[in-house]
């Protein structure tokens, strides 16, 4: 054997030491038994053989475990085989040959096929010599013993070979596990470094509701916010409504709830507050068991304060504009009542009145949008039992002159009586906007179909036109604030891009919604869904 590794040297030392100690113990037992039975014929030869075994065992015991001499691995079993031969020669009828099983097993395991052949040939030669010498008589053991030793050595060889293969496999698996562990450690360090480098908080919550992973940003954002316990002074998105501990995003995430973009305020109104945008998402399940939730929190205080400042400015400016505009329109109407006006002067005043009226409508839309802001107080609805058909019919009558001027026919034959509990003023605002858009963006000679129908516990108001429709790329943004399609912006049709957004907010404040179906070149259909029963809506709701 050449160049065994330190672990192999240690294994050889252990196996050789075990074999020698067991053989020495068996030799002691054989010596006592043959002495008691009086089967020793040559005491000197017997003692010499036994002494060789004991000396060899002592050398193995005293040899260093981590530096086993190479010569001892080969010499020890050879000496044992020879010593057992001497003892068998001195006690022919004692069955000492059975002791050859110990070196045969060790030689088979340590030296493989060569060891099996060598020990079998050596033992067979000794048995043959002693038989022909006359010191041993011919018996069944003369033939069975070499075969038995060869079988034992062979089985030991295959067992050792299998053990070495298993050890090699285990070492490979251990090395692979070490590499995998190192890769996992590097990946974990990389993920930790990345998470600690970002400016938004990340935390993982196990399926049992325990915090398992978090980054430095989460600790900074949650400093003083009580994320690991009851969160004091936590408010909803409006910054006014207080939240109890069980309603905070982190408590909801620990309870297993998933949500997107929840805005909460930490701190009392008027203090140095912090706004966090929190998202909780479930991790993919493993083996059918939930893996928990990851919660991402982002500091949006600057953005929210900027939005509030902008909305406050817009609302303030719009409010300040409305008063002088109302006065201007009033004086223009008084001037137009004068029959003595010249034709050119009247035409100029009418142009001024139309533009002032359009400007007032724009200011009204901006104020309504400001009231509908998610930071505002919401729509103050005043619901009452009303026939929706009357509201729609009144709106149709109002838009009819404008539609006729554009060569558009308004068909209200589908309007049916449908009582509901709604805010008539706000609902009229919705219908006026839908009808105005249907007339404004329709083509000359087109038709606007208006209907009111009942469906289960809902009232449906439908306004359909056969105009150019809306392109697929713009359909998803049609209800956004201040959004106007490219074709409309490049035309002479004026608008603020707020009407549909305001209308949808009013519908949602009633507990309903507005849906749209459209195809380019085939017109558009807007449907207002309203709950018919009282209590289906939150009458003071923010959008």
């Amino acid at each position: 054997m050449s160049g065994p590794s330190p672990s192999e040297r240690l294994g050889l030392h252990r196996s050789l030491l075990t074999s020698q100690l067991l053989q020495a113990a068996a030799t002691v037992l054989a010596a006592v038994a043959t002495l008691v039975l009086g089967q020793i014929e040559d005491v000197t030869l017997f003692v010499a053989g036994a002494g060789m075994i004991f000396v060899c065992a002592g050398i193995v015991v005293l040899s260093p475990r981590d530096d086993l001499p190479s010569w001892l691995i080969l010499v020890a079993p050879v000496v044992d085989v020879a010593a057992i031969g001497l003892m068998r020669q001195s006690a022919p009828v004692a069955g000492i040959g059975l002791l050859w099983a110990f070196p045969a097993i060790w030689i088979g395991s340590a030296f493989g096929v060569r060891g099996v052949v060598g020990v079998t040939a050596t033992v067979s030669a000794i048995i043959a010599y002693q038989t022909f010498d006359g010191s041993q008589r011919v018996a069944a053991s003369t033939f069975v013993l070499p075969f038995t030793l060869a079988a034992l050595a062979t089985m030991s060889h295959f067992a050792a070979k299998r053990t070495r293969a298993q050890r090699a496999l285990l070492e490979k698996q251990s090395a692979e596990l070490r590499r995998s562990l190192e890769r996992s450690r590097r990946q974990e360090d990389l993920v930790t470094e990345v998470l600690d480098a970002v400016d938004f908080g990340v935390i993982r919550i196990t399926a049992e509701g325990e915090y398992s992973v978090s980054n430095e940003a989460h600790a900074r954002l949650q400093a003083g916010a009580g994320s690991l316990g009851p969160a004091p002074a936590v408010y909803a998105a409006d910054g006014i409504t207080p939240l109890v501990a069980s309603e905070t995003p982190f408590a909801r995430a620990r309870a297993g709830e998933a949500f997107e973009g929840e805005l909460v305020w930490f701190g009392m109104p008027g203090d140095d507050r912090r706004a966090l945008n929190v998202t909780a998402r479930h991790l993919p399940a493993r083996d059918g068991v939930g893996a928990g939730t990851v919660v991402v929190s982002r500091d949006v205080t600057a953005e929210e304060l900027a939005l509030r400042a902008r909305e406050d400015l817009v609302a303030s400016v719009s409010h300040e504009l409305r008063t002088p505009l109302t006065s201007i329109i009033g004086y223009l109407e008084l001037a137009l009542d004068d029959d003595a006006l010249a034709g050119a002067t009247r035409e100029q005043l009418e142009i001024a009145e139309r533009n002032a009226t359009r400007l007032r409508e724009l200011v009204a839309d901006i104020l309504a949008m400001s009231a509908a802001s998610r930071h505002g107080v919401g729509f103050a609805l005043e619901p009452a039992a009303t026939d929706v058909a009357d509201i729609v019919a009144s709106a149709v009558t109002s838009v009819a002159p404008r539609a006729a001027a554009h060569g558009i026919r308004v068909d209200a034959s589908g309007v049916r009586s449908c009582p509901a509990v709604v805010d008539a003023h706000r609902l009229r605002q919705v219908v006026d906007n839908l009808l105005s858009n249907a007339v404004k963006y329709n083509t000359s000679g087109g038709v606007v179909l208006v209907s009111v129908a009942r469906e289960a516990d809902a009232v449906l108001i439908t306004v359909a036109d056969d105009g150019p429709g809306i392109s697929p790329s713009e359909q998803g943004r049609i209800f956004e604030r201040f959004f106007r399609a490219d074709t409309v912006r490049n035309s002479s049709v004026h608008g603020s891009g707020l009407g549909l957004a305001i209308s949808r907010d009013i519908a949602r404040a009633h507990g309903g919604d507005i849906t749209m179906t459209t195809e380019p070149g085939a017109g558009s259909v807007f449907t207002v869904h309203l709950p018919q029963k009282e209590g289906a809506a939150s009458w003071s709701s923010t959008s």
Side-chain angles (χ1 to χ4, degrees):
M1 304 194 53
S2 61
S5 64
S7 61
E8 290 176 340
R9 284 182 175 276
L10 183 59
L12 284 173
H13 182 275
R14 288 177 177 175
S15 61
L16 182 59
L17 177 62
T18 301
S19 176
Q20 290 297 316
L21 291 178
L22 289 175
Q23 184 169 307
T27 300
V28 172
L29 180 61
V32 173
T34 52
L35 182 63
V36 171
L37 296 175
Q39 296 176 338
I40 301 177
E41 296 181 0
D42 189 339
V43 176
T44 302
L45 195 60
F46 188 91
V47 171
M52 292 171 61
I53 292 176
F54 293 142
V55 170
C56 190
I59 294 174
V60 173
V61 170
L62 296 176
S63 63
R65 290 184 301 174
D66 55 350
D67 190 19
L68 183 67
S70 300
W71 59 266
L72 187 59
I73 297 175
L74 178 61
V75 170
V78 172
V79 171
D80 290 339
V81 171
I84 294 171
L86 293 177
M87 294 175 64
R88 187 171 185 270
Q89 180 75 20
S90 64
V93 298
I96 299 297
L98 293 176
L99 294 178
W100 271 321
F102 292 99
I105 291 174
W106 195 86
I107 290 173
S109 65
F111 297 96
V113 176
R114 291 178 300 175
V116 173
V117 174
V119 72
T120 303
T122 302
V123 171
S124 298
I126 294 175
I127 291 176
Y129 171 79
Q130 291 177 349
T131 300
F132 291 111
D133 186 23
S135 61
Q136 295 282 343
R137 68 176 186 274
V138 178
S141 61
T142 304
F143 306 98
V144 175
L145 184 57
F147 177 80
T148 302
L149 294 177
L152 289 174
T154 301
M155 289 189 293
S156 175
H157 161 64
F158 284 113
K161 184 177 180 181
R162 184 167 57 251
T163 301
R164 284 193 291 270
Q166 291 175 345
R167 183 184 297 112
L169 178 61
L170 289 175
E171 289 178 352
K172 289 182 180 179
Q173 292 176 341
S174 178
E176 183 62 29
L177 286 175
R178 286 194 296 270
R179 288 192 292 270
S180 299
L181 180 61
E182 184 62 26
R183 285 196 301 269
S184 299
R185 186 178 293 110
R186 290 197 299 268
Q187 291 176 352
E188 183 179 356
D189 293 340
L190 177 61
V191 171
T192 300
E193 291 173 0
V194 171
L195 289 178
D196 288 341
V198 298
D199 59 353
F200 53 84
V202 179
I203 186 169
R204 180 178 180 269
I205 301 176
T206 64
E208 293 76 24
E210 300 295 330
Y211 293 97
S212 61
V213 176
S214 63
N215 65 343
E216 293 180 358
H218 173 79
R220 291 196 304 269
L221 293 176
Q222 300 307 312
S227 64
L228 300 180
V234 182
Y235 294 85
D238 59 7
I240 301 173
T241 306
L243 298 178
V244 298
S246 60
E247 295 177 343
T248 61
F250 294 99
R252 291 164 56 193
R254 294 184 68 181
E257 185 178 347
F259 46 84
E260 189 84 18
E262 290 285 339
L263 181 67
V264 290
W265 287 86
F266 291 94
M268 298 288 293
D271 295 342
D272 185 13
R273 314 177 75 189
R274 172 177 293 164
L276 294 184
N277 185 289
V278 185
T279 296
R281 294 178 181 172
H282 293 310
L283 296 172
R286 298 176 181 175
D287 299 327
V289 179
T293 305
V294 61
V295 181
V296 179
S297 55
R298 186 168 58 92
D299 190 341
V300 292
T301 306
E303 293 92 327
E304 293 300 320
L305 292 178
L307 285 173
R308 287 194 169 192
R310 186 193 69 177
E311 291 167 357
D312 291 343
L313 176 62
V314 170
S316 177
V317 171
S318 301
H319 182 76
E320 293 299 326
L321 286 174
R322 185 168 58 177
T323 300
L325 277 174
T326 302
S327 178
I328 292 171
I329 293 173
Y331 279 107
L332 286 172
E333 290 176 348
L334 289 175
L336 287 171
D337 288 339
D338 188 356
D339 297 334
L341 285 176
T345 304
R346 179 176 294 277
E347 183 179 351
Q348 292 171 356
L349 289 176
E350 288 175 349
I351 293 174
E353 182 192 25
R354 285 197 302 271
N355 284 277
T357 301
R358 188 165 64 84
L359 184 57
R360 184 177 62 180
E361 292 174 353
L362 176 60
V363 170
D365 286 345
I366 294 175
L367 286 174
M369 185 55 63
S370 178
S373 169
R374 62 192 176 96
H375 297 302
V377 296
F379 290 109
L381 300 183
E382 298 179 0
T386 308
D387 192 341
V388 176
D390 294 338
I391 300 174
V392 174
S394 177
V396 169
T397 302
S398 177
V399 80
R402 192 189 315 168
H406 287 79
I408 296 172
R409 181 172 62 90
V410 180
D411 185 353
S413 59
V415 176
R416 300 288 185 270
S417 177
C418 291
V421 180
V422 296
D423 186 323
H425 173 71
R426 290 294 187 183
L427 185 57
R428 171 64 186 272
Q429 186 178 351
V430 174
V431 179
D432 282 342
N433 181 73
L434 296 180
L435 288 173
S436 175
N437 287 345
V439 171
K440 187 188 304 182
Y441 302 116
N442 208 338
T443 57
S444 180
V447 178
V448 176
L449 300 177
V450 185
S451 65
V452 177
R454 181 183 295 107
E455 183 179 282
D457 291 334
V459 175
L460 305 183
I461 304 173
T462 303
V463 178
D465 64 71
D466 54 1
I470 303 170
S471 66
S473 61
E474 295 174 330
Q475 292 176 13
R477 304 185 58 194
I478 198 66
F479 289 103
E480 289 185 9
R481 301 175 183 181
F482 302 103
F483 174 76
R484 302 189 75 210
D486 291 335
T487 56
V488 174
R489 284 199 301 268
N490 297 329
S491 68
S492 60
V493 179
H494 300 287
S496 64
L498 292 173
L500 286 177
I502 294 173
S503 298
R504 187 178 64 171
D505 289 339
I506 293 174
R508 289 181 174 179
H510 280 83
D513 205 348
I514 295 181
T515 59
M516 175 199 65
T517 57
T518 181
E519 291 183 10
S524 305
V525 179
F526 288 86
T527 304
V528 182
H529 302 258
L530 296 172
Q532 189 177 16
K533 294 183 178 179
E534 185 176 4
S538 177
W539 301 115
S540 182
S541 171
T542 57
S543 61

